[in-house]
Amino acid sequence: MEVLLSRQQIADRVAELGAQITLEYAGKSVVLIGVLKGAAIFLADLARAIKVDATFDFVAVSSYGRARVSSGAVKLIKDIDNPIEGLHVILVEDILDTGLTLSYLRGLMLQHKPASLKIATCLDKPDRRLVPMDADYIAFKIPNHFVIGYGMDYAENYRNVEDIRLFPEEAVGH
Ligand code: IMP
């Protein structure tokens, strides 16, 4: 599978984002909330590039599953473990695609009354949006291609591929 973004390109960009977040959150601590499972690897790298105090939490939502088509309905499978009221939160996602997942999660997190809420995403596919949604920290904007690797899957496979690679379009009907 063709490499879209190499591990080195990803590492360089994640370091930049980490430095930016470190500056913007100077003197504060931050709660990084990863969206399982795709964001696990991005969160692990981003967290280590952030030099302010950070804690982790994770949420899980219903995913596209094997059929690569969104039903439009997002369901929470796992909620946060710890309260976030009054805390600075960054939601960490692998891909911002249609926007349905993050707009749902954003609304849900805001109900917990964090002091601030920002969104970091490894990839943004702006062409695919069904609802308006922007991320505050974007590692890479990419065209409308289905990708795997660096935490991202096709039917739960390829998450451990180090680079971000183009998955054959004919296989996903994307
Ligand atoms: P959306 O923004 O609600 O459409 O959903 C984003 C989610 O769809 C991501 O967290 C991924 O789990 C999944 N997704 C979207 N595009 C891709 C892709 O190219 N590869 C792997 N997963 C994808």
Side-chain angles (χ1 to χ4, degrees), residues 35-39 61 63-64 68 70 74 93-103 123 125 128-130 142 145-149 152-154 159 167 174:
V35 185
L36 292 172
K37 305 168 200 165
V61 292
S63 72
Y64 292 2
R68 306 298 327 166
S70 172
V74 182
E93 173 64 306
D94 58 352
I95 307 188
L96 173 51
D97 189 26
T98 63
L100 292 166
T101 306
L102 277 175
S103 64
L123 300 180
K125 293 189 204 171
R128 295 251 313 159
R129 219 65 101 239
L130 292 178
I142 64 164
H145 284 300
F146 195 83
V147 296
I148 54 88
M152 290 163 265
D153 74 310
Y154 174 68
R159 292 193 194 275
F167 194 75
H174 195 59

Side-chain angles (χ1 to χ4, degrees), residues 66-85:
R66 294 181 72 88
R68 306 298 327 166
V69 182
S70 172
S71 63
V74 182
K75 201 175 90 189
L76 193 71
I77 294 168
K78 186 214 167 293
D79 204 348
I80 47 175
D81 293 333
N82 298 308
I84 55 168
E85 185 170 345

Side-chain angles (χ1 to χ4, degrees), residues 3-73:
V3 173
L4 177 66
L5 295 158
S6 70
R7 51 187 294 201
Q8 191 57 55
Q9 282 175 288
I10 300 166
D12 291 348
R13 183 66 187 122
V14 169
E16 283 177 10
L17 276 186
Q20 185 188 344
I21 292 170
T22 302
L23 277 178
E24 292 181 15
Y25 287 81
K28 298 174 183 156
S29 49
V30 67
V31 185
L32 302 174
I33 301 182
V35 185
L36 292 172
K37 305 168 200 165
I41 292 178
F42 178 48
L43 184 142
D45 282 347
L46 185 64
R48 286 175 291 180
I50 294 172
K51 305 301 178 191
V52 299
D53 290 340
T55 56
F56 298 173
D57 211 331
F58 293 93
V59 290
V61 292
S62 56
S63 72
Y64 292 2
R66 294 181 72 88
R68 306 298 327 166
V69 182
S70 172
S71 63

